[in-house]
Amino acid sequence: MLNRDHEAIMLQEVGGVSGLSDLLKSNLDRGVSSNEDELLQRRDIFGANTYPRKKRKSIWRFVFEACQDLTLVILMVAAAISLSLGMATEGVKDGWYDGGSIFFAVFLVIFVTATSDYRQSLQFQHLNEEKQNIQVEVIRGGKRVGASIFDLVVGDVVPLKIGDQVPADGVLISGHSLAIDESSMTGESKIVHKDQKAPMLMSGCKVADGYGSMLVTGVGTNTEWGTLMANLSEDIGEETPLQVRLNGVATLIGIVGLSVAGVVLVVLWIRYFTGHSNNPDGTTAFVAGTTGAKQGFMGAISIFTVAVTIVVVAVPEGLPLAVTLTLAYSMRKMMRDKALVRRLSSCETMGSATTICSDKTGTLTLNKMTVVEAYLSGTKLNPCDNTGMMFSSVASLLVEGIAQNTAGAVFSPEDGGAAEVAGSPTEKAILSWGLEIGMNFTDVRSKSSVLRVLPFNSVKKRGGVAVQVSDAYVHIHWKGAAELVLASCKSWFSVDGSVHPMSSDKDPCRPGVRDAVQLCSAAGVKVRMVTGDNVETAKAIAFECGILNAKDAASETIIIEGKVFREMSETAREEVADKITVMARSSPNDKLLLVQALKRKGHVVAVTGDGTNDAPALHEADIGLSMGISGTEVAKESSDIIILDDDFTSVVKVVRWGRSVYANIQKFIQFQLTVNVAALVINVVAAVSSGAVPLNAVELLWVNLIMDTLGALALATEPPTDNLMKRHPVGRREPLVTNIMWRNLFIQALYQITVLLVFNFDGKRIFHLHNESRECADKMKNTFVFNAFVFCQIFNEFNARKPEEKNVLRGVTSNRLFMGIVGITTVLQILIIEFLGKFFGTVRLGWKLWLLSVAIGAVSWPLAYVGKSIPVPARPFQDYLKHCCAWRRPRRRDEEQGGKS
């Protein structure tokens, strides 16, 4: 109630924050106990810091949605008519096969589709929960510990710093220049300053500046933020740009397939009703004036079913499914590689990145700092904790500045164990050094009182504190960028009056970063370092990480200071942006200007950042990458992907996965279009020329299942290969179907069409079936065509794995899912031919025909090997089509004579 009504008067009635703490049986300095039983008791009494989630969709909902597919609905209606008429004319025992088989195939497609969609939904929901699981610091038992935001309880004491999200409703205990952005709750962009007069803090708001600590008074649905979130539905149905493009492709191909199916339907009906179609026994299927209405209607429905099934095969429903599968697979694997995807589209975009603007601290370096050298009066302290030569007044002033001018803390265990230091890497390094020179953190802080704090941020590049040491003296301590602090100094402690600055080591380069940078360079991705450090430090780190080399250092425009870049005109910034490799002494706004200039030059820009002020650059970039450890919540919310281990090598892994997403989609497109073209041409040519189709409705539904769901699952889950990082980035507007894919597609489709049509029209002679009845011969021939067609697709799946490589079997055994799906498809095909013939309208094949079917499919491997030696033009095939199909307006006579219209 305190927070919902913002009643400071009620707070005073209970004795202020101290009295409220007593009521909640908490301690403002030590927090609550870390005992699990006490924490559980508090959750039972005050509630947990969670909110009820919207009920997830059940698998039956996905089944219902799959049943709404228009082509499947039409097939079910046709199957129902076929079933009823069949049983009416042929009896229940024999008349249910045709309609029942179609029903069975349709239900199988629905079941597999619904199951696949349901599994992907569960994966996206799990990843969504990971995004909301924010890690916070909390004081329990006098010790700062990390905890999930969901684990907070009423009575917890939570430290706050710039960039944090307020994790629960609470009351300010103490703070310095604490400013809160409450726009997420109030809708007003005004920054609210918090102090003892305005101590109420609302969950979900962001810390805009300063630091402090709060007492948690409300959690979960007992907060305004929790109530709001409980009423919001989680949107896990985001469509990525690639999905949108593929939906368009699928629609276009579907229109073509529908047109072809319409032509086939009209041709077959004309042939049927004019007496040019025959029954399996050779008799005329329809004789005007003789054939009954029921039988004629049954024949027309059978033809209609074939036409509808052609549409099912023609519509590449697996294209959007393939994107969903590969995104879900990639996101799950990226989590293992320490990258949490917040926006699906970033998975695709990262594969097109041409440049990465990276922070230095934490991303390229370890973000672990120690003071290794210290100087006093021109004399180096050796070791750096040697205080024997230090004047007592200097020593006391030094430790006072270390203890008071910090947002960190030192915890001394009651059992006398080693002190534990908390805070940012820089603060931890300085506090640890203070302990080494004899600082008693608690004692020093008790000897002076803080009057004013100016928190450090990346804009000011320095932070200070004013402390009252006595009635007569006030000490002001500063820390930050050396040139800024020293420029403000008028006096200093020295024996001979000379200036001797204190320095500390360079943050060492992370292991593996140099190799990662070289890998990016080979992949056509330029790495640029943007840092707040001075030029010399930035240059040294850039050399160590491999971002710079000796040749680069000679160029004046390679290394630039943020101020110089900032003062350039927009045109000048665009001209120089491409050449910049290192930007030193940069502000967050300089990073934003660099990102904008690079994007105007046509680059796909990825940016890493961890601070609150990095949010604009992260938002502006094509892909924003925030740091999971050192990053603020503001930075994380502005980013597309969170690098959980703050390591640049993980950024490179994200690039690999991004390229893998795009490559896997292309593999599936090649496979899908090959099946589409082959199945359509075979059925259309056979239907128009002979009035019958070799692939019936149930068989085509099985092929549809192979190429849509199982094919997508097999090809969309290919892991990234090293070859992906040997290519250059894919351009924004490059066609999805490349010339290499067109070449592979045409070769395989032409082979399948030619061979299978030969067996379709001349199969009786080839298989010596002249002595068999026409019905038996046609069934044997059609069964062989169907079997050979399926094995062509099974072998072509291997070809699709490696569109550009001749050895299509390389690394295939490492993908167990792919091998499993190929194995399952093969086993099911054997079962269909040998045991389910009545359902599929097939007959058993002898071992010779089985071997021939497999051999026809296997020929696609050497064919692909030879075909990949054929060179392809650099110009996209689609451009040639546009050029050939372009309509030219006739030129008027006045234009030919050079006149103006």
Side-chain angles (χ1 to χ4, degrees):
M1 286 299 294
L2 283 175
N3 283 70
R4 291 195 176 187
D5 298 331
H6 291 258
E7 287 289 350
I9 297 175
M10 293 177 64
L11 179 63
Q12 296 305 318
E13 288 177 356
V14 298
V17 67
S18 178
L20 182 59
S21 173
D22 294 338
L23 288 175
L24 296 174
K25 295 182 180 179
S26 180
N27 184 288
L28 296 181
D29 295 320
R30 301 181 60 81
V32 299
S33 169
S34 58
N35 182 275
E36 284 296 329
D37 292 335
E38 181 179 331
L39 295 176
L40 184 60
Q41 186 180 17
R42 287 179 178 271
R43 289 192 189 98
D44 291 338
I45 297 172
F46 300 108
N49 199 27
T50 58
Y51 49 87
R53 305 297 175 101
K54 292 290 182 182
K55 188 177 179 181
R56 70 177 58 163
K57 290 199 295 187
S58 68
I59 189 169
W60 299 111
R61 178 71 180 274
F62 287 96
V63 170
F64 176 72
E65 290 176 356
C67 289
Q68 292 178 311
D69 184 277
L70 181 60
T71 52
L72 294 182
V73 170
I74 294 172
L75 276 177
M76 284 190 283
V77 172
I81 296 172
S82 176
L83 188 65
S84 58
L85 291 177
M87 290 191 295
T89 54
E90 301 176 34
V92 176
K93 185 177 180 181
D94 298 319
W96 70 275
Y97 284 125
D98 289 342
S101 299
I102 296 173
F103 264 125
F104 173 76
V106 168
F107 288 147
L108 183 63
V109 171
I110 289 171
F111 172 76
V112 173
T113 303
T115 304
S116 176
D117 289 345
Y118 179 66
R119 289 185 68 251
Q120 307 322 315
S121 173
L122 291 180
Q123 289 183 12
F124 287 132
Q125 190 167 25
H126 171 69
L127 290 168
N128 198 48
E129 290 171 357
E130 286 291 331
K131 289 190 292 188
Q132 296 171 346
N133 186 16
I134 299 169
Q135 296 299 306
V136 297
E137 273 193 334
V138 60
I139 298 175
R140 287 179 179 165
K143 181 180 178 181
R144 281 197 190 192
V145 294
S148 166
I149 191 173
F150 303 134
D151 294 334
L152 289 185
V153 296
V154 170
D156 267 330
V157 175
V158 179
L160 297 173
K161 62 182 183 298
I162 185 171
D164 283 352
Q165 175 177 313
V166 179
D169 278 4
V171 178
L172 179 67
I173 298 172
S174 63
H176 300 288
S177 304
L178 187 65
I180 305 293
D181 179 3
E182 296 184 346
S183 58
S184 60
M185 294 303 299
T186 64
E188 299 176 5
S189 57
K190 183 180 177 182
I191 302 298
V192 181
H193 293 273
K194 295 294 179 178
D195 51 29
Q196 297 307 322
K197 295 179 181 178
M200 303 304 177
L201 297 167
M202 288 190 293
S203 177
C205 300
K206 304 295 188 299
V207 180
D209 200 5
Y211 61 89
S213 59
M214 65 175 280
L215 176 68
V216 175
T217 60
V219 293
T221 51
N222 293 321
T223 69
E224 292 184 30
W225 176 257
T227 304
L228 177 67
M229 294 302 290
N231 292 325
L232 290 177
S233 59
E234 295 175 2
D235 181 19
I236 55 174
E238 171 193 357
E239 270 204 334
T240 69
L242 190 54
Q243 282 176 318
V244 173
R245 287 179 69 185
L246 286 178
N247 282 330
V249 172
T251 302
L252 179 62
I253 297 174
I255 291 172
V256 174
L258 187 63
S259 304
V260 171
V263 171
V264 170
L265 178 64
V266 171
V267 170
L268 290 182
W269 271 350
I270 291 173
R271 290 180 64 96
Y272 177 73
F273 287 113
T274 56
H276 290 84
S277 294
N278 296 327
N279 290 319
D281 58 1
T283 60
T284 303
F286 182 87
V287 178
T290 304
T291 305
K294 185 182 291 186
Q295 186 180 350
F297 184 66
M298 186 73 174
I301 289 294
S302 298
I303 294 172
F304 178 72
T305 304
V306 171
V308 172
T309 312
I310 289 176
V311 176
V312 173
V313 176
V315 177
E317 295 160 314
L319 290 181
L321 174 64
V323 181
T324 305
L325 286 171
T326 193
L327 285 174
Y329 171 77
S330 301
M331 289 171 70
R332 189 172 69 251
K333 293 293 185 181
M334 285 165 72
M335 275 289 288
R336 297 181 186 177
D337 283 342
K338 306 299 181 185
L340 172 62
V341 177
R342 297 188 72 252
R343 293 183 180 88
L344 285 179
S345 57
S346 61
C347 287
E348 304 165 7
T349 313
M350 197 64 191
S352 301
T354 58
T355 185
I356 302 173
C357 299
S358 176
D359 279 350
K360 175 190 76 72
T361 305
T363 315
L364 296 172
T365 56
L366 284 170
N367 211 16
K368 293 180 179 177
M369 300 185 186
T370 54
V371 177
V372 294
E373 289 187 5
Y375 290 85
L376 177 69
S377 300
T379 304
K380 179 181 179 181
L381 301 184
N382 193 11
C384 65
D385 58 353
N386 179 11
T387 58
M389 62 189 72
M390 201 178 287
F391 297 108
S392 59
S393 59
V394 175
S396 63
L397 193 62
L398 184 59
V399 297
E400 182 184 86
I402 293 173
Q404 292 286 21
N405 193 16
T406 182
V410 177
F411 171 71
S412 300
E414 295 177 356
D415 59 6
E420 298 179 15
V421 180
S424 70
T426 308
E427 288 171 335
K428 288 165 75 172
I430 297 174
L431 286 172
S432 298
W433 182 66
L435 294 174
E436 290 173 6
I437 61 175
M439 175 188 70
N440 186 318
F441 184 76
T442 306
D443 181 60
V444 173
R445 286 173 74 96
S446 66
K447 289 181 179 178
S448 58
S449 58
V450 176
L451 298 176
R452 178 79 185 277
V453 174
L454 291 174
F456 180 92
N457 63 43
S458 56
V459 176
K460 299 193 295 273
K461 299 189 186 302
R462 63 177 179 174
V465 61
V467 294
Q468 183 88 48
V469 292
S470 68
D471 293 338
Y473 292 99
V474 173
H475 290 166
I476 299 177
H477 298 276
W478 288 100
K479 67 179 179 184
E483 64 270 26
L484 294 178
V485 173
L486 291 176
S488 303
C489 293
K490 295 182 179 178
S491 60
W492 56 91
F493 284 93
S494 178
V495 175
D496 58 2
S498 58
V499 178
H500 297 279
M502 181 175 69
S503 64
S504 59
D505 189 15
K506 291 195 298 290
D507 192 4
C509 186
R510 279 183 181 268
V513 166
R514 188 177 187 87
D515 293 338
V517 171
Q518 291 175 349
L519 191 62
C520 282
S521 298
V525 182
K526 184 175 179 62
V527 180
R528 308 169 199 269
M529 189 172 82
V530 184
T531 177
D533 285 329
N534 61 59
V535 172
E536 294 306 316
T537 301
K539 190 186 297 185
I541 291 292
F543 273 115
E544 188 179 351
C545 294
I547 294 173
L548 276 180
N549 54 44
K551 184 174 69 176
D552 293 330
S555 174
E556 290 295 326
T557 57
I558 293 295
I559 304 169
I560 193 171
E561 283 196 345
K563 182 181 178 182
V564 176
F565 184 72
R566 189 188 320 143
E567 293 174 349
M568 291 180 176
S569 66
E570 187 175 301
T571 305
R573 284 198 294 266
E574 281 188 40
E575 290 176 358
V576 80
D578 261 338
K579 303 175 185 177
I580 295 174
T581 303
V582 175
M583 182 181 285
R585 278 291 174 241
S586 67
S587 68
N589 189 56
D590 298 332
K591 184 188 287 189
L592 175 62
L593 291 173
L594 178 61
V595 170
Q596 291 171 338
L598 289 169
K599 286 182 70 175
R600 285 195 295 268
K601 293 285 286 185
H603 286 281
V604 179
V605 185
V607 167
T608 68
D610 53 11
T612 301
N613 291 323
D614 287 327
L618 290 169
H619 182 75
E620 177 70 21
D622 295 290
I623 315 103
L625 303 157
S626 64
M627 301 298 109
I629 299 173
S630 61
T632 64
E633 287 308 313
V634 174
K636 291 175 186 177
E637 287 197 3
S638 299
S639 66
D640 304 295
I641 298 174
I642 301 174
I643 305 301
L644 299 176
D645 60 356
D646 290 19
D647 194 341
F648 185 78
T649 55
S650 297
V651 176
V652 179
K653 290 176 184 176
V654 172
V655 176
R656 279 167 57 96
W657 279 111
R659 294 189 174 191
S660 178
V661 167
Y662 200 87
N664 286 349
I665 297 304
Q666 288 185 312
K667 293 172 187 177
F668 179 71
I669 289 174
Q670 178 182 309
F671 172 70
Q672 170 110 63
L673 292 183
T674 304
V675 184
N676 282 138
V677 171
L680 272 177
V681 173
I682 289 170
N683 265 12
V684 169
V685 171
V688 172
S689 59
S690 65
V693 290
L695 302 174
N696 63 38
V698 182
E699 289 169 348
L700 285 176
L701 282 171
W702 168 235
V703 170
N704 182 67
L705 188 65
I706 293 174
M707 74 177 185
D708 270 1
T709 307
L710 297 180
L713 194 60
L715 293 171
T717 54
E718 278 283 309
T721 62
D722 292 336
N723 284 337
L724 290 173
M725 296 302 285
K726 294 177 182 176
R727 308 175 185 171
H728 281 274
V730 178
R732 291 179 189 269
R733 294 174 178 82
E734 285 191 27
L736 276 173
V737 185
T738 64
N739 284 357
I740 290 174
M741 293 166 64
W742 282 119
R743 178 196 63 192
N744 299 342
L745 187 159
F746 283 135
I747 290 173
Q748 293 295 328
L750 184 62
Y751 164 71
Q752 292 179 25
I753 291 167
T754 304
V755 171
L756 295 179
L757 283 178
V758 166
F759 280 103
N760 180 65
F761 290 118
D762 206 24
K764 293 180 182 178
R765 184 187 64 79
I766 296 172
F767 298 140
H768 306 293
L769 300 174
H770 298 293
N771 296 327
E772 302 288 340
S773 66
R774 177 168 179 171
E775 182 178 2
C776 182
D778 283 343
K779 275 198 171 183
M780 180 68 71
K781 176 202 66 173
N782 289 345
T783 299
F784 175 80
V785 170
F786 166 58
N787 200 41
F789 181 75
V790 169
F791 275 99
C792 281
Q793 311 323 317
I794 291 173
F795 281 95
N796 194 34
E797 277 190 271
F798 289 85
N799 295 332
R801 286 184 64 247
K802 306 283 184 182
E804 299 179 23
E805 294 183 36
K806 291 185 176 181
N807 185 2
V808 297
L809 298 179
R810 180 181 297 167
V812 69
T813 55
S814 62
N815 190 342
R816 295 179 181 177
L817 182 60
F818 180 89
M819 295 301 296
I821 288 173
V822 169
I824 290 171
T825 305
T826 304
V827 170
L828 289 175
Q829 180 66 16
I830 294 172
L831 290 174
I832 286 169
I833 300 298
E834 296 298 317
F835 302 103
L836 300 174
K838 284 191 174 181
F839 293 100
F840 284 81
T842 59
V843 295
R844 290 186 174 183
L845 298 176
W847 66 270
K848 291 182 179 179
L849 292 184
W850 269 105
L851 284 179
L852 183 58
S853 299
V854 174
I856 289 173
V859 169
S860 67
W861 284 358
L863 191 67
Y865 185 90
V866 174
K868 288 172 184 177
S869 302
I870 300 174
V872 295
R875 187 180 178 184
F877 178 70
Q878 289 90 324
D879 287 357
Y880 289 105
L881 289 179
K882 290 178 183 177
H883 179 72
C884 293
C885 298
W887 177 78
R888 289 189 176 184
R889 176 178 59 83
R891 297 182 69 188
R892 295 195 303 268
R893 184 176 299 175
D894 59 341
E895 290 178 324
E896 291 177 354
Q897 296 172 352
K900 295 181 180 180
S901 59

